[in-house]
Amino acid sequence: MSTNFYADVSSASQHALAALALTGGSRVGVQRDPVYAWALDPAPTRQVGLVSGGGAGHEPMHAGFLGRGGLDAVCPGEVFTSPHNRQIHAASTKVARGGGVVHIVKNYTGDVLNFAIAAERLRADGVAVDRVLVDDDLGSEGQEVGRRGTGATVIVEKILGAAADRGLSLEDLVALGQGVVAASRSVAVAQRAGTVPGSDRPAFDVAPGTLEYGVGIHGEAARESIPQPPLNELVSRMVGELLDSLDVDEHGVLVLVNGLGGTGDLELLHVLAEVERVLAERDVVLRSAVAGTYVSALDMAGYSITVTAVSDEQWLTDWCAPHATTSLPSPVLAATTVIGEVDEPSAGEPSAWLRQLADDIAEIREPLNDLDRRAGDGDIGTNLDNALQAAVRRGTGADADLAADLKSLATAFSEDVGGSSGPLFGLVLVRIATAVATDAGAVVQGLRDGVEAITRAGGARVGDRTMVDALVPAGWDGDTARGRLDDDALEAALAGAIATSTMVGKRGRSSYVGERAIGTTDPGALAVVAVLVAIVERIDGDIRRDELRTRLAELVQG
């Protein structure tokens, strides 16, 4: 059974190339036989054509880099297969100008051989031709065939594209490209290999909890498998090795954090933030940085980091120059970006009750997430845990009373948890805290005030499959307001939460899955019960409701 979304066609490469041409509109042309694509609207100042290519599976490289400020022609092979020299010869002939053509070649045997044969054919035709060989990969350092060409290809093609538009000669472009390559190194890691079209499993296995360190951009495993460390440690190692392999001076560095196809932009931005930290620790100036997917390896879950040691300010000008391609990065100088300080909650000593509640929630974090994945987005346990940890960090004192602890908790839910459920529950907690501050027995009145507040804000009612289904029976016995928050109220709240398993969601993420949510208890309602149990225990002198907690835990486990 296929695990991806490929059409049943004879050539995955040609099918994708036709679609990529659509995104280029009137700026990109496609030749069917031999297959290549070329830019229809090059800069009139360009004297030399730029041609690159390689196997499919690395999109958006190279076809996405066609256009002004980028490449003149690209030659795609089939997945992870080099293009034929016939393609390269035809494409180069199409875009060669009076100054000739430069081939930008990644250092793989098939690519090197076919570009070399095409170059000999071009010379026989009287076309001036030379190449820039990209060999930046530290993961293949020391191999007889040399380092592989990986992420630095993006930097080379971006800088040479702008330089070619400035009218540089063939000799100057080659010298520039070789200089950028020599100043660039990359290293990549992966949690999962890519899956080639027609296959139902990844190209190689990665053991759970491990990474392939120094992986390439094709179907080959790395030479080293390592236990997966925390991101800060992993990036420190990667950037450290890259910097140690380069001569970095006062001009600083360019950085490309590149996704390998199965890694989200949020993850890549986290990687980039860690890269910036390491550079700062080593007193290396970050001149410009880009994070995104530019050189993929099908759907490989991983990323690469490329560092280029700047030796000429013109490199930065060309790197940041505008372009008319669909997929090349559009960098800016790092100096134009201002990063503000993060406001951390003031540290204080939490009460024993607040710390215990945080520990209890931490234990059910992942089970709540698992429950949430069945009918939501799988993050409610994380959000709840984050709120409790923030409240613990704020800490209102070891001897804080219930009102102070609830106010701290309300602030955490309102200000430190995203989405809708956290801030809404924060409204309930702040109303309880306000009521308790003036009357220790007014917990249930504060709860009712909170329910009315979130109903006004969010519109949820009993039966909508939300936390309201647990909160309302805790505050009311039918139409009668309860006199106190006690064991009867907790039992009613738990029953209300259980009832959500029979409901179709009308609010929140569960509303998007319709009847598929039936049979799964709403995790937000269960989370509310967990907090209410802790509040009742605090009111009654910290007497734990073990039997109720056991039933609640069984429901959370699903």
Side-chain angles (χ1 to χ4, degrees):
M1 178 182 295
S2 176
T3 59
N4 38 42
F5 300 99
Y6 296 115
D8 185 13
V9 294
S10 59
S11 172
S13 172
Q14 292 188 39
H15 203 57
L17 185 63
L20 277 170
L22 293 175
T23 68
S26 61
R27 295 175 297 181
V28 174
V30 175
Q31 173 67 38
R32 292 288 188 181
D33 185 23
V35 178
Y36 64 86
W38 77 99
L40 297 175
D41 185 30
T45 52
R46 186 171 286 208
Q47 303 300 311
V48 178
L50 299 181
V51 178
S52 191
H58 304 306
E59 289 71 23
M61 187 183 76
H62 295 275
F65 302 166
L66 279 170
R68 290 196 183 198
L71 300 173
D72 288 288
V74 298
C75 308
E78 290 304 321
V79 173
F80 295 165
T81 303
S82 67
H84 193 277
N85 73 83
R86 187 167 74 98
Q87 297 171 254
I88 302 165
H89 176 262
S92 300
T93 301
K94 180 74 173 180
V95 301
R97 292 170 176 76
V101 63
V102 171
H103 290 164
I104 303 172
V105 185
K106 301 186 300 300
N107 189 30
Y108 296 95
T109 301
D111 289 5
V112 171
L113 179 61
N114 278 286
F115 271 94
I117 293 173
E120 291 301 326
R121 294 178 61 183
L122 289 166
R123 292 187 185 102
D125 295 339
V127 177
V129 59
D130 205 341
R131 77 172 186 186
V132 173
L133 184 68
V134 183
D135 59 347
D136 56 305
D137 174 43
L138 281 184
S140 49
E141 184 86 59
Q143 294 186 1
E144 185 174 346
V145 294
R147 294 182 298 268
R148 296 172 293 209
T150 57
T153 311
V154 179
I155 297 175
V156 171
E157 292 182 354
K158 176 66 181 71
I159 290 177
L160 287 191
D165 283 356
R166 292 193 287 113
L168 264 64
S169 68
L170 185 147
E171 292 77 12
D172 288 342
L173 286 170
V174 170
L176 173 59
Q178 290 174 340
V180 174
V181 171
S184 301
R185 293 292 182 272
S186 302
V187 66
V189 295
Q191 293 176 319
R192 186 192 70 245
T195 302
V196 299
S199 177
D200 61 356
R201 59 175 297 170
F204 56 85
D205 294 326
V206 182
T210 68
L211 293 175
E212 291 293 293
Y213 188 92
V215 73
I217 57 173
H218 296 94
E220 72 275 27
R223 290 188 292 184
E224 181 182 8
S225 296
I226 63 171
Q228 181 167 352
L231 183 64
N232 62 327
E233 295 178 13
L234 180 61
V235 172
S236 292
R237 174 182 172 179
M238 296 172 75
V239 175
E241 292 177 359
L242 293 170
L243 293 177
D244 290 344
S245 69
L246 296 169
D247 293 324
V248 180
D249 60 20
E250 68 278 4
H251 289 93
V253 298
L254 306 179
V255 169
L256 170 68
V257 173
N258 172 67
L260 295 177
T263 304
D265 286 350
L266 181 61
E267 294 171 276
L268 299 178
L269 290 170
H270 275 233
V271 174
L272 179 55
E274 291 299 319
V275 171
E276 191 276 336
R277 173 188 59 80
V278 177
L279 294 176
E281 290 174 353
R282 294 189 54 152
D283 295 323
V284 174
V285 179
L286 177 59
R287 303 299 302 279
S288 181
V290 169
T293 297
Y294 300 98
V295 184
S296 64
L298 294 172
D299 58 344
M300 182 181 286
Y303 66 89
S304 63
I305 301 173
T306 301
V307 174
T308 298
V310 178
S311 63
D312 186 332
E313 290 296 306
Q314 183 62 50
W315 292 11
L316 290 168
T317 302
D318 289 335
W319 171 243
C320 296
H323 61 85
T325 77
T326 61
S327 303
L328 273 174
S330 298
V332 296
L333 295 179
T336 64
T337 302
V338 178
I339 301 176
E341 294 295 325
V342 177
D343 292 330
E344 290 290 343
S346 57
E349 180 70 19
S351 69
W353 176 81
L354 191 57
R355 189 182 295 279
Q356 182 61 56
L357 177 57
D359 291 344
D360 291 343
I361 294 302
E363 288 185 7
I364 61 173
R365 167 180 169 152
E366 288 310 314
L368 279 173
N369 283 341
D370 289 341
L371 200 61
D372 195 28
R373 290 185 187 101
R374 303 179 196 176
D377 51 6
D379 65 354
I380 192 165
T382 299
N383 288 339
L384 191 64
D385 185 41
N386 288 344
L388 266 296
Q389 296 304 322
V392 166
R393 289 195 301 272
R394 280 191 177 88
T396 52
D399 298 325
D401 60 16
L402 180 60
D405 276 343
L406 289 176
K407 183 177 180 181
S408 176
L409 198 54
T411 300
F413 273 102
S414 299
E415 299 184 4
D416 299 304
V417 177
S420 57
S421 59
L424 287 173
F425 194 35
L427 286 179
V428 176
L429 292 172
V430 76
R431 296 304 177 97
I432 297 175
T434 301
V436 172
T438 57
D439 180 357
V443 173
V444 73
Q445 181 58 54
L447 184 147
R448 285 195 293 271
D449 292 343
V451 170
E452 291 172 354
I454 65 173
T455 298
R456 289 192 298 270
R461 300 287 190 275
V462 171
D464 286 352
R465 188 186 162 85
T466 69
M467 68 175 73
V468 170
D469 291 293
L471 287 168
V472 167
W476 288 267
D477 182 4
D479 294 330
T480 304
R482 293 187 184 276
R484 62 194 303 264
L485 190 65
D486 55 14
D487 289 325
D488 288 341
L490 293 180
E491 290 290 348
L494 184 59
I498 292 171
T500 61
S501 65
T502 66
M503 301 174 186
V504 174
K506 298 177 183 177
R507 302 280 174 176
R509 297 294 171 86
S510 68
S511 64
Y512 303 143
V513 300
E515 293 185 356
R516 294 181 65 180
I518 293 177
T520 300
T521 307
D522 181 67
L526 291 175
V528 162
V529 175
V531 175
L532 293 180
V533 168
I535 292 174
V536 170
E537 290 174 343
R538 175 76 176 268
I539 294 171
D540 283 357
D542 295 325
I543 300 174
R544 286 176 67 86
R545 270 58 176 180
D546 290 329
E547 190 272 336
L548 182 59
R549 283 176 172 273
T550 298
R551 283 189 285 144
L552 181 61
E554 291 172 350
L555 288 167
V556 169
Q557 294 294 336

